[in-house]
Amino acid sequence: MGIVINGEEKEVDDYGYLLEPDFSEEAIQAFAAAEGIELTDQHRTVINYLRQKYQEEGHTPNMRNLVKGLQDEDVMPEADSKLLFDLFPDGGAAKQGCRVAGLPQPKGKGGY
């Protein structure tokens, strides 16, 4: 089973993450619809940050480093764990945010 992006079915893992990243706007739209998320500017800020970090580092930050990075890099100074869980209630931005961003599953402890 997968998710349809631009009329093409993309393969996902058992947790719904893409096996290969898709940086298209259509990927964001498809996952947001599937997850029941109505995208706001704050969602997009987090998604863009996650995509940037994935492209730069080959992985995404864990929640602690995500909050710190958003604050320290002045991307989203108001970011805190509560806000990121409000935006992405199914596991927070470090998990659900990666799915909506069209990124593969985060590696987990030690893999960040």
Side-chain angles (χ1 to χ4, degrees), residues 3 13 21 24 27-29 39 47-48 54 56 59 62-63 66 71 75-76 79 82 86 89-90 94 96 101:
I3 187 164
D13 67 14
S24 69
I28 295 171
Q29 294 296 327
L39 295 169
I47 288 167
N48 290 336
Y54 183 85
E56 290 173 357
H59 57 84
N62 63 20
M63 186 62 133
L66 177 58
Q71 292 172 347
V75 174
M76 183 185 257
K82 182 186 180 321
D86 287 346
D90 185 19
Q96 187 179 31

Coordinates of all heavy atoms in Angstrom, one line a residue, residues 3 13 21 24 27-29 39 47-48 54 56 59 62-63 66 71 75-76 79 82 86 89-90 94 96 101:
I3 N 0.9 5.8 -1.1 CA 0.1 7.1 -1.2 C 0.3 7.6 -2.6 O 1.3 7.5 -3.2 CB 0.6 8.1 -0.1 CG1 -0.3 9.3 -0.1 CG2 2.1 8.4 -0.4 CD1 -0.1 10.2 1.1
D13 N 6.5 2.8 4.1 CA 6.8 1.7 5.1 C 5.5 1.4 5.9 O 4.5 2.0 5.7 CB 8.0 2.1 5.9 CG 7.8 3.2 6.9 OD1 6.6 3.6 7.1 OD2 8.8 3.7 7.5
P21 N 12.5 10.1 -0.3 CA 11.9 11.4 -0.1 C 11.3 12.0 -1.3 O 11.7 11.7 -2.5 CB 13.1 12.3 0.4 CG 14.3 11.6 -0.1 CD 13.9 10.1 -0.2
S24 N 8.2 17.5 -3.4 CA 7.2 18.3 -4.1 C 6.1 18.8 -3.2 O 5.9 18.3 -2.1 CB 6.5 17.4 -5.2 OG 5.7 16.4 -4.6
A27 N 3.4 16.3 -2.6 CA 3.6 15.3 -1.5 C 3.1 15.9 -0.2 O 2.4 15.2 0.6 CB 5.1 15.0 -1.3
I28 N 3.3 17.2 0.1 CA 2.8 17.8 1.3 C 1.3 17.8 1.3 O 0.7 17.4 2.3 CB 3.3 19.3 1.4 CG1 4.8 19.3 1.5 CG2 2.6 20.0 2.5 CD1 5.4 20.8 1.4
Q29 N 0.7 18.2 0.2 CA -0.8 18.2 0.1 C -1.4 16.8 0.3 O -2.4 16.7 1.0 CB -1.2 18.8 -1.3 CG -0.8 20.2 -1.5 CD -1.5 21.1 -0.5 OE1 -2.6 20.9 -0.1 NE2 -0.9 22.2 -0.2
L39 N -3.2 22.8 6.6 CA -1.9 23.4 6.7 C -2.0 24.9 6.9 O -2.8 25.6 6.3 CB -1.1 23.2 5.4 CG -0.7 21.8 5.1 CD1 -0.2 21.6 3.7 CD2 0.3 21.3 6.1
I47 N 7.8 22.2 8.1 CA 8.0 21.3 7.0 C 9.2 21.7 6.2 O 10.1 20.9 5.9 CB 6.7 21.2 6.1 CG1 5.6 20.4 6.8 CG2 7.1 20.6 4.8 CD1 4.3 20.5 6.2
N48 N 9.3 23.0 5.9 CA 10.5 23.5 5.2 C 11.8 23.3 5.9 O 12.8 22.9 5.4 CB 10.3 24.9 4.8 CG 9.2 25.1 3.7 OD1 8.9 24.2 3.0 ND2 8.6 26.3 3.7
Y54 N 17.0 17.6 6.4 CA 17.2 16.3 5.7 C 18.2 16.4 4.5 O 19.1 15.6 4.3 CB 15.9 15.8 5.3 CG 16.0 14.4 4.7 CD1 16.0 13.3 5.5 CD2 16.1 14.2 3.3 CE1 16.1 12.0 4.9 CE2 16.3 13.0 2.7 CZ 16.2 11.8 3.6 OH 16.4 10.6 3.0
E56 N 20.5 18.7 4.0 CA 21.8 19.1 4.5 C 22.5 18.0 5.2 O 23.7 17.8 5.1 CB 21.8 20.3 5.4 CG 21.4 21.6 4.8 CD 21.2 22.7 5.8 OE1 21.3 22.5 7.0 OE2 20.9 23.9 5.3
H59 N 19.3 13.3 7.4 CA 18.4 12.9 8.4 C 17.7 14.1 9.0 O 18.2 15.2 8.8 CB 19.0 12.0 9.5 CG 20.1 12.7 10.2 ND1 19.9 13.5 11.3 CD2 21.5 12.7 10.0 CE1 21.1 14.0 11.7 NE2 22.1 13.5 11.0
N62 N 15.8 15.2 16.1 CA 14.8 14.7 17.0 C 14.1 15.9 17.6 O 14.4 17.0 17.2 CB 15.5 13.8 18.1 CG 16.5 14.6 19.0 OD1 16.4 15.9 19.0 ND2 17.4 13.9 19.6
M63 N 13.1 15.7 18.4 CA 12.2 16.8 18.8 C 13.0 17.8 19.6 O 12.8 19.0 19.3 CB 11.1 16.2 19.7 CG 10.1 17.3 20.1 SD 9.2 18.0 18.7 CE 7.6 17.9 19.2
L66 N 15.0 19.7 17.1 CA 14.1 20.5 16.2 C 13.7 21.8 16.9 O 13.8 22.9 16.3 CB 12.9 19.6 15.9 CG 11.8 20.3 15.0 CD1 12.4 20.7 13.7 CD2 10.7 19.3 14.8
Q71 N 14.3 27.6 17.2 CA 14.5 28.8 18.0 C 15.8 29.5 17.7 O 15.9 30.7 17.4 CB 14.4 28.4 19.5 CG 13.1 28.0 20.0 CD 13.1 27.5 21.4 OE1 14.1 27.2 22.0 NE2 11.9 27.3 22.0
V75 N 14.1 30.7 13.0 CA 13.2 30.3 12.0 C 11.8 30.4 12.5 O 10.8 30.9 11.9 CB 13.5 28.8 11.5 CG1 12.4 28.3 10.6 CG2 14.8 28.7 10.9
M76 N 11.6 29.9 13.8 CA 10.3 30.0 14.5 C 10.6 30.2 16.0 O 10.6 29.2 16.7 CB 9.5 28.7 14.2 CG 8.2 28.6 14.8 SD 7.4 27.0 14.6 CE 6.3 27.4 13.3
A79 N 8.6 28.5 18.8 CA 8.5 27.0 18.8 C 8.8 26.5 20.2 O 9.8 26.9 20.9 CB 9.5 26.4 17.8
K82 N 5.1 21.9 23.0 CA 3.6 22.0 22.9 C 3.1 22.5 21.6 O 2.2 21.9 21.0 CB 3.1 22.9 24.1 CG 1.6 22.9 24.1 CD 1.0 23.9 25.1 CE -0.5 24.0 25.1 NZ -1.2 23.9 23.9
D86 N 0.8 20.5 19.0 CA -0.5 21.0 18.5 C -0.5 21.0 17.0 O -1.6 20.7 16.4 CB -0.6 22.5 19.0 CG -0.9 22.6 20.5 OD1 -1.2 21.5 21.2 OD2 -0.8 23.7 21.1
P89 N -0.3 16.5 15.9 CA -0.7 15.8 17.1 C -0.4 14.3 17.1 O -0.3 13.7 18.2 CB -2.2 16.0 17.2 CG -2.6 16.4 15.8 CD -1.4 17.1 15.1
D90 N -0.1 13.7 16.0 CA 0.2 12.3 15.9 C 1.7 12.0 16.0 O 2.3 11.7 15.0 CB -0.4 11.6 14.7 CG -0.3 10.1 14.7 OD1 0.0 9.5 15.7 OD2 -0.4 9.6 13.6
A94 N 8.6 15.9 14.9 CA 9.7 15.1 14.6 C 9.3 13.8 13.9 O 10.1 13.1 13.3 CB 10.6 14.8 15.8
Q96 N 5.3 13.0 12.8 CA 4.2 13.3 11.9 C 4.7 14.4 10.9 O 4.4 14.3 9.7 CB 2.9 13.7 12.6 CG 1.8 13.8 11.6 CD 0.5 14.2 12.3 OE1 0.5 14.9 13.4 NE2 -0.6 13.7 11.8
A101 N 6.0 16.0 5.5 CA 7.0 16.7 4.7 C 7.5 15.8 3.5 O 8.2 16.2 2.6 CB 8.2 17.0 5.5

